[in-house]
């Protein structure tokens, strides 16, 4: 398997289904590295060098090791309830959300909701949001009036890999581009 395919499998395990390889995550989303490698090795080639290469070269910086590299976790994007220990941060005036055209009517009606994830994912710039949107077909961009939301009491978090997270974005804080 390619590194990309292995990375996608690791993402599935650490964000959604650790039981796929028979491991558990702790309450903060950490998995034991030796258990992760042993579980993946049952179906594909992996070792610590390959895992370190995936973590170091992932352009979205999806994963983090603890200090001594005995634990690993996904930085965000979980559908299982974990607390990745995010600090609340005051957001910039605006953030961006990219989505596919097929979701526009739902967003225009309900705002942004996390669906199967724990948080709504927002981007700091238009270019990143456009890339995200293209993964869902014809891209549609929204500006999120983030600082206005924050002043109204909504909480924002910044993941280690630069993704802004919040629980929901009501329609009144969205501007469709």
């Amino acid at each position: 398997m390619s590194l990309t395919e292995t990375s996608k499998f690791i993402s599935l395990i650490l964000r959604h289904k650790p039981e796929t390889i028979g491991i558990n995550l702790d309450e903060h989303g950490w998995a034991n590295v030796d258990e992760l490698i042993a579980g993946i090795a049952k179906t594909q080639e992996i070792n610590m060098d390959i895992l370190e290469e995936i973590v170091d070269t992932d352009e979205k910086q999806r994963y983090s090791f603890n200090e001594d590299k005995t634990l690993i976790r996904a930085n965000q994007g979980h559908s299982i309830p974990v607390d990745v220990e995010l600090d609340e941060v005051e957001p910039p005036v605006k953030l961006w959300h990219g989505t596919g055209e097929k979701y526009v009517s739902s967003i225009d009606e309900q705002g942004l909701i996390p669906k199967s994830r724990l948080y709504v994912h927002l981007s700091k710039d238009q270019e990143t949001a456009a890339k995200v949107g293209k993964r869902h077909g014809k891209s549609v961009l929204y500006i999120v009036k983030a600082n206005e939301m924050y002043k109204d009491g909504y909480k924002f978090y910044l993941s280690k890999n630069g993704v802004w997270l919040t629980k929901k974005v009501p329609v009144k804080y969205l501007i469709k581009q």
Side-chain angles (χ1 to χ4, degrees), residues 1 17 27 29 31 41 44 56 61 74 89 93 101 111 127 131 133 145-146 154 157 175:
M1 280 203 175
K17 295 183 176 180
E27 68 272 18
Q44 57 189 275
D56 292 343
Q61 300 176 316
V89 180
V93 172
E101 198 174 43
E127 182 184 341
K131 276 188 203 169
K145 297 185 260 182
Y154 290 87
Y157 308 92
I175 303 168

Side-chain angles (χ1 to χ4, degrees), residues 6 10 13-14 18 21-26 29-42 46-55 63-74:
T6 302
I10 292 169
I13 295 162
L14 295 180
I21 61 165
I23 67 168
N24 293 306
L25 307 181
D26 74 11
W30 293 106
N32 178 290
V33 168
D34 292 337
E35 291 176 9
L36 179 74
I37 289 171
I40 294 171
K42 292 175 188 169
I46 190 162
N47 57 39
M48 188 61 176
D49 291 337
I50 292 170
L51 184 60
E52 285 179 325
E53 184 177 352
I54 288 169
V55 172
Y63 317 106
S64 294
F65 284 114
N66 68 341
E67 218 169 279
D68 64 1
K69 295 188 177 180
T70 57
L71 301 173
I72 185 171
R73 72 176 171 193

Side-chain angles (χ1 to χ4, degrees), residues 91-140:
V93 172
K94 68 180 178 182
L95 291 168
W96 294 83
H97 183 78
T99 191
E101 198 174 43
K102 62 187 170 191
Y103 302 116
V104 168
S105 62
S106 172
I107 292 169
D108 289 349
E109 198 176 289
Q110 300 178 38
L112 298 173
I113 55 174
K115 291 193 260 185
S116 64
R117 292 185 171 180
L118 301 179
Y119 295 99
V120 172
H121 291 203
L122 304 172
S123 305
K124 68 181 182 326
D125 58 63
Q126 184 175 358
E127 182 184 341
T128 304
K131 276 188 203 169
V132 171
K134 284 180 184 158
R135 293 198 310 243
H136 303 285
K138 188 173 186 309
S139 183
V140 177

Side-chain angles (χ1 to χ4, degrees), residues 117-172:
R117 292 185 171 180
L118 301 179
Y119 295 99
V120 172
H121 291 203
L122 304 172
S123 305
K124 68 181 182 326
D125 58 63
Q126 184 175 358
E127 182 184 341
T128 304
K131 276 188 203 169
V132 171
K134 284 180 184 158
R135 293 198 310 243
H136 303 285
K138 188 173 186 309
S139 183
V140 177
L141 298 179
Y142 287 87
I143 292 174
V144 176
K145 297 185 260 182
N147 201 261
E148 187 179 324
M149 280 182 66
Y150 183 77
K151 287 177 179 162
D152 287 347
Y154 290 87
K155 294 181 179 183
F156 285 82
Y157 308 92
L158 185 58
S159 73
K160 284 190 182 204
N161 59 347
V163 176
W164 285 88
L165 306 168
T166 191
K167 286 290 186 184
K168 66 179 178 181
V169 180
V171 174
K172 74 178 194 170

